[in-house]
């Protein structure tokens, strides 16, 4: 049996835990009906509004802390947050639920009669709350927190889980046991209760004190320094009044000191101050050695936004969404107008930015994004601007010392820049290797095809990938039905094949030609009507973006070509579009292999069919695995 106050009573409810707010919502509905409008004087309504606003405070700090294009040089700890930590902290908002329910209990009791008369503002209440915070909340929290660390049995039962998180995040602040939450609730609630007991309470105090308390907690856990050390130099006493993210990070990692709530003065008086706190704070803020600033990446995957809904899948928006494969969730629909506005802003004045990162065998890998959406790549007027964005990103990577930059999806479109050849030809002295990664994409698709297949139907047959797949399969004496209306392009590809294998490449112009073929390789969108020509039992391999929709229940559909990163990847905590955790698109994986192998050539333009097996074997050698 679990120790008392070490587990949450609603843990078994999962995502349905918010039903505990049912009575509060019912109270608000009743008062709304009785008053014929919003019950602005209802504490039940204010408790629910506070719950939402407090959650947004932590979300704001989480978003800011993970906007690497703002914060990567002022991080305290350089490591990334991985899926293990995300799952561990999944129910981080349990403390908000408990505190809201405790607030409802207090409101419904006669303990604080001053709650019945709502006063919007009373400065005397703020003075009382400040005195109680300094004289009661800070010492009580400090002593209790230190006791949790000094008593092994208490630490193991009630506090160890909180310290399992390797890198602090604002959401880490809320993760803990009910006992820890009760301790924080006492520290937060005592100043408010004291003000109301003295008759100086106000609605402004409740909202204001909750906001300041949550703001400071979220800031401390943000892993990003925000206060300049020059401020502490100008006013030295401030370092004993206000803690910093570096201060808390040391406590979280070392567990030996820095036990205060917000005021390091308590650690000074208790002899538990970590002497490295100020030097680490300075190093982190200045991006100097000793801090956690992200260094120069050695590999960059240059992606772009797919559409407005998927733009909300980035790691700095909602962690619970970005850590699972992308799907259209109804919860995101209210944010669509805001995401649309951001699209317009990025179109007008944004440049390539850092989205995420991970470490592989001690090397920093980053994903950058071109601030353009999928539909913009098909606007003739946008072509020049997109190429300029990609070119600037390549030149920036070259100046930084990046070794390999891999182009994603439409960033390597043949009609846009010839699969990257435009940039390599324009800048022949590039030190960074530019790759499209499609050699490994072709290898993944080809290795999915069963060895006993003798015939395939190929759409998108004259594209870069289609050409490579057709030429590779014909060498294996597999008959390839190449769907294309252009005899000229077909003949050009056929002539590339050795004479003895050219007979295995066959041009077809109708889908009916494949009605007896059960292996379809799809590089062009297929409508339901076109899919009907496939016989029952057909498997659709895909390299079309976006993937086709599976309309046939008697057929099977493959996903886009992808590979799972090696097991020793570190700090990976977001999914790449629709890919599963730890899985990346094959072109991303192709860039990783190019980097790990130390190849010195650019991989742009047409795919070298002779290198397909070479790249595949290299990927397997380095621990990348088929999905």
């Amino acid at each position: 049996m679990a120790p008392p106050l070490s587990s949450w009573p609603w843990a078994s409810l999962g995502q349905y835990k918010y039903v505990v707010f049912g009575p509060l919502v019912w109270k608000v509905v009743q008062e709304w009906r009785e008053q014929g409008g919003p019950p602005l004087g209802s504490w039940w309504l204010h408790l629910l509004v506070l719950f939402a606003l407090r959650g947004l405070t932590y979300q704001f700090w989480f978003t800011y802390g993970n906007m690497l294009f703002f914060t990567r040089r002022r991080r305290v700890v350089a490591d990334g947050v991985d899926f293990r930590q995300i799952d561990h902290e999944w129910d981080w908002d349990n403390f908000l639920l408990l505190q809201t329910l405790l607030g409802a209990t207090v409101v419904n009791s006669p303990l604080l009669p001053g709650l019945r008369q709502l006063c919007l503002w009373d400065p005397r209440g703020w003075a009382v709350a400040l005195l109680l915070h300094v004289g009661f909340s800070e010492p009580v929290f400090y002593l209790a927190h230190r006791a949790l660390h000094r008593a092994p049995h208490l630490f193991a039962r009630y506090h160890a889980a909180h310290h399992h998180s390797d890198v602090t995040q604002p959401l880490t602040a809320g993760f803990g046991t009910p006992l820890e939450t009760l301790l924080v609730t006492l520290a937060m609630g005592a100043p408010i209760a004291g003000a109301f007991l003295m008759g100086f309470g106000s609605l402004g105090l409740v909202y204001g004190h909750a906001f300041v308390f949550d703001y400071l907690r979220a800031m401390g856990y943000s892993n990003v320094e925000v206060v300049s050390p020059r401020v502490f130099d100008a006013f030295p006493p401030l370092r004993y009044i206000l803690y910093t993210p570096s201060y808390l990070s040391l406590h979280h990692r070392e567990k030996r000191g820095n036990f205060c709530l917000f005021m390091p003065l308590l650690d000074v008086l208790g002899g538990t101050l970590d002497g490295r706190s100020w030097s680490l704070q300075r190093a982190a803020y200045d991006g100097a050695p000793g801090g956690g600033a992200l260094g120069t990446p050695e590999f960059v995957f240059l992606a772009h936004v797919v559409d407005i809904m998927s733009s909300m899948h980035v790691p700095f928006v909602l962690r619970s969404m970005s850590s699972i494969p992308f799907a259209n969730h109804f919860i995101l629909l209210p944010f669509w107008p805001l995401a649309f506005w951001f699209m317009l802003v990025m179109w007008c004045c944004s440049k390539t930015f850092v989205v995420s990162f991970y470490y592989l065998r001690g090397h920093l890998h980053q994903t950058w994004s071109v601030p353009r959406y999928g539909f913009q790549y098909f606007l003739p007027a946008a072509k020049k601007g997109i190429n300029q964005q990609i070119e600037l990103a390549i030149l920036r990577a070259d100046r930084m010392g990046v070794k390999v930059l891999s182009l994603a999806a439409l960033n390597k479109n043949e009609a846009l820049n010839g699969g990257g050849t435009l940039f390599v030809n324009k800048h022949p002295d590039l030190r960074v290797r530019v790759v499209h990664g499609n050699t490994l994409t072709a290898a993944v698709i080809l290795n999915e095809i069963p060895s006993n297949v003798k015939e395939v139907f190929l759409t998108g047959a004259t594209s870069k990938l289609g050409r490579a797949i057709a030429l590779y399969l014909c060498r294996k004496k597999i008959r390839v039905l190449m769907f294309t209306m252009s005899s000229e392009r077909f003949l050009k590809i056929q002539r590339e094949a050795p004479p003895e294998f050219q007979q295995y490449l066959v041009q077809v112009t109708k889908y009916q030609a494949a009605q007896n073929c059960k292996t379809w390789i799809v590089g062009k969108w297929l409508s339901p009507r076109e899919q009907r020509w496939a016989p029952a039992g057909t498997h659709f391999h895909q390299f079309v973006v976006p993937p086709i929709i599976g309309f046939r229940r008697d057929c099977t559909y493959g996903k886009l070509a992808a590979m799972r990163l090696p097991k020793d990847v570190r700090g990976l905590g977001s999914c790449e579009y629709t890919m599963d955790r730890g899985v990346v698109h094959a072109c991303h994986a192709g860039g990783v292999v190019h980097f790990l192998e130390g190849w010195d050539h650019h991989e742009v333009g047409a795919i070298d069919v002779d290198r397909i097996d070479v790249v595949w074997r290299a990927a397997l050698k380095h621990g990348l695995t088929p999905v």
Side-chain angles (χ1 to χ4, degrees):
M1 181 181 292
L5 297 177
S6 65
S7 60
W8 296 95
W10 50 73
S12 60
L13 296 177
Q15 63 180 339
Y16 301 106
K17 62 185 178 182
Y18 303 102
V19 298
V20 300
F21 282 162
L24 275 74
V25 174
W26 178 245
K27 285 277 190 180
V28 173
V29 171
Q30 279 185 319
E31 294 181 349
W32 196 308
R33 291 173 61 185
E34 292 171 0
Q35 299 178 20
L40 300 180
S42 168
W43 274 112
W44 311 112
L45 177 61
H46 287 301
L47 285 172
L48 293 174
V49 171
L50 272 169
F51 173 81
L53 292 178
R54 296 180 66 198
L56 286 174
T57 301
Y58 288 91
Q59 177 61 45
F60 163 79
W61 271 105
F62 170 81
T63 296
Y64 172 73
N66 287 277
M67 284 181 165
L68 299 175
F69 44 92
F70 286 146
T71 63
R72 67 184 183 277
R73 300 190 187 282
R74 289 183 177 170
R75 292 171 60 87
V76 180
V77 178
D79 298 334
V81 174
D82 57 19
F83 293 117
R84 181 194 61 81
Q85 178 174 338
I86 292 172
D87 291 341
H88 189 64
E89 298 174 354
W90 195 266
D91 292 309
W92 67 272
D93 61 346
N94 277 339
F95 84 104
L96 289 175
L97 270 75
L98 179 58
Q99 289 178 349
T100 302
L101 294 177
L102 289 174
T105 304
V106 172
V107 166
N108 203 38
S109 71
L111 295 177
L112 297 176
L115 290 173
R116 302 303 173 196
Q117 290 126 11
L118 279 177
C119 169
L120 289 179
W121 184 261
D122 190 335
R124 295 172 298 177
W126 282 91
V128 171
L130 179 61
L131 289 174
L132 286 174
H133 178 83
V134 174
F136 177 81
S137 296
E138 287 284 349
V140 167
F141 182 89
Y142 171 80
L143 293 173
H145 192 190
R146 189 173 69 171
L148 283 175
H149 279 264
R150 296 290 171 84
H153 63 288
L154 289 177
F155 182 83
R157 293 177 179 179
Y158 297 107
H159 200 44
H162 178 74
H163 280 275
H164 280 170
S165 300
D166 298 325
V167 183
T168 59
Q169 296 252 286
L171 308 188
T172 309
F175 177 73
T177 59
L179 179 65
E180 292 170 294
T181 298
L182 290 175
L183 170 61
V184 174
T185 304
L186 176 63
M188 177 183 174
I192 299 176
F196 273 95
L197 286 171
M198 295 183 68
F200 303 144
S202 66
L203 191 61
L205 173 64
V206 174
Y207 275 88
H209 183 76
F211 172 75
V212 173
F213 193 93
D214 290 328
Y215 189 91
L216 290 176
R217 287 202 81 210
M219 179 201 74
Y221 279 87
S222 67
N223 193 39
V224 176
E225 277 302 342
V226 292
V227 182
S228 170
R230 263 64 74 184
V231 174
F232 293 109
D233 292 341
F235 187 63
L238 184 62
R239 65 182 54 181
Y240 301 108
I241 299 174
L242 179 66
Y243 77 158
T244 67
S246 299
Y247 192 93
L248 187 136
S249 182
L250 275 174
H251 162 75
H252 206 78
R253 284 179 290 155
E254 305 289 344
K255 309 180 186 68
R256 294 195 300 264
N258 293 5
F259 298 116
C260 75
L261 180 58
F262 303 133
M263 299 176 62
L265 177 63
L266 276 296
D267 282 301
V268 175
L269 297 176
T272 54
L273 176 69
D274 192 316
R276 298 168 294 172
S277 300
W278 314 125
S279 59
L280 176 60
Q281 193 268 341
R282 184 178 296 275
Y285 187 87
D286 293 338
L294 294 182
T296 299
E298 295 183 81
F299 168 76
V300 167
F301 183 58
L302 186 61
H304 64 80
V305 189
V306 177
D307 53 35
I308 293 177
M309 290 298 288
S310 67
S311 70
M312 293 180 274
H313 190 250
V314 290
F316 53 81
V317 177
L318 293 173
R319 189 170 77 171
S320 57
M321 295 294 179
S322 65
S323 62
I324 58 177
F326 170 74
N328 288 308
H329 296 279
F330 288 113
I331 194 174
L332 296 177
L333 289 178
F335 302 101
W336 193 94
L338 182 62
F340 180 80
W341 182 82
F342 270 105
M343 180 197 72
L344 297 178
V345 171
M346 288 200 299
W347 198 350
C348 294
C349 55
S350 183
K351 60 181 181 180
T352 301
F353 57 93
V354 184
V355 176
S356 62
F357 72 96
Y358 61 86
Y359 289 92
L360 182 60
R361 293 162 196 171
H363 303 288
L364 177 61
H365 293 205
Q366 289 183 350
T367 295
W368 297 357
S369 179
V370 174
R372 295 294 182 269
Y373 290 62
F375 77 92
Q376 294 170 323
Y377 284 76
F378 300 98
L379 301 177
K383 178 178 177 180
K384 181 179 178 181
I386 292 173
N387 275 331
Q388 286 177 343
Q389 290 277 357
I390 298 172
E391 182 180 8
L392 289 174
I394 292 173
L395 294 177
R396 174 188 169 198
D398 193 58
R399 290 194 304 271
M400 292 173 63
V402 175
K403 295 181 179 177
V404 174
L405 184 142
S406 182
L407 300 172
L410 296 173
N411 284 336
K412 58 193 173 194
N413 186 278
E414 285 294 318
L416 182 69
N417 51 48
T421 54
L422 172 68
F423 313 113
V424 172
N425 292 338
K426 186 176 180 180
H427 303 282
D429 297 326
L430 285 174
R431 292 171 298 171
V432 62
R433 302 295 95 178
V434 180
V435 303
H436 53 49
N438 280 343
T439 307
L440 185 57
T441 302
V444 171
I445 296 169
L446 290 165
N447 280 276
E448 289 177 352
I449 300 172
S451 58
N452 60 347
V453 168
K454 300 299 181 184
E455 182 180 69
V456 302
F457 177 63
L458 177 64
T459 68
T462 59
S463 66
K464 177 168 54 182
L465 270 168
R467 165 193 163 275
I469 291 170
L471 291 174
Y472 184 94
L473 289 176
C474 77
R475 296 181 184 184
K476 302 292 183 181
K477 297 184 178 180
I478 296 175
R479 190 166 180 258
V480 183
L481 305 178
M482 299 177 64
F483 181 82
T484 177
M485 299 298 178
S486 173
S487 297
E488 179 184 353
R489 296 177 70 178
F490 166 76
L491 290 173
K492 181 179 178 182
I493 294 174
Q494 189 182 47
R495 292 190 192 103
E496 288 188 67
E500 65 271 25
F501 299 120
Q502 291 181 3
Q503 59 180 311
Y504 294 99
L505 299 179
V506 180
Q507 181 186 7
V508 296
T509 57
K510 295 182 179 181
Y511 289 98
Q512 294 91 314
Q515 58 187 334
N516 295 316
C517 179
K518 291 189 176 183
T519 301
W520 285 38
I521 304 175
V522 182
K524 180 183 178 182
W525 176 261
L526 293 179
S527 67
R529 182 179 180 181
E530 292 163 342
Q531 291 183 38
R532 282 206 304 266
W533 289 106
T538 294
H539 181 77
F540 293 89
H541 303 269
Q542 303 192 56
F543 63 93
V544 59
V545 180
I548 62 173
I549 300 173
F551 293 104
R552 294 280 299 274
R553 294 188 177 183
D554 57 349
C555 298
T556 55
Y557 294 81
K559 295 184 178 181
L560 291 177
M563 295 200 78
R564 188 174 300 278
L565 290 171
K567 294 181 179 180
D568 53 344
V569 65
R570 295 290 179 264
L572 181 63
S574 60
C575 292
E576 191 169 283
Y577 195 38
T578 57
M579 300 289 118
D580 291 331
R581 289 181 168 186
V583 176
V584 296
H585 291 89
C587 57
H588 183 155
V592 172
V593 172
H594 203 101
F595 166 72
L596 293 175
E597 282 290 307
W599 287 329
D600 199 39
H601 64 278
H602 296 289
E603 183 192 335
V604 294
I607 296 173
D608 184 351
V609 180
D610 293 329
R611 290 193 58 81
I612 291 177
D613 288 333
V614 174
V615 174
W616 177 252
R617 288 192 296 267
L620 299 180
K621 180 184 74 173
H622 286 290
L624 287 92
T625 54
V627 178

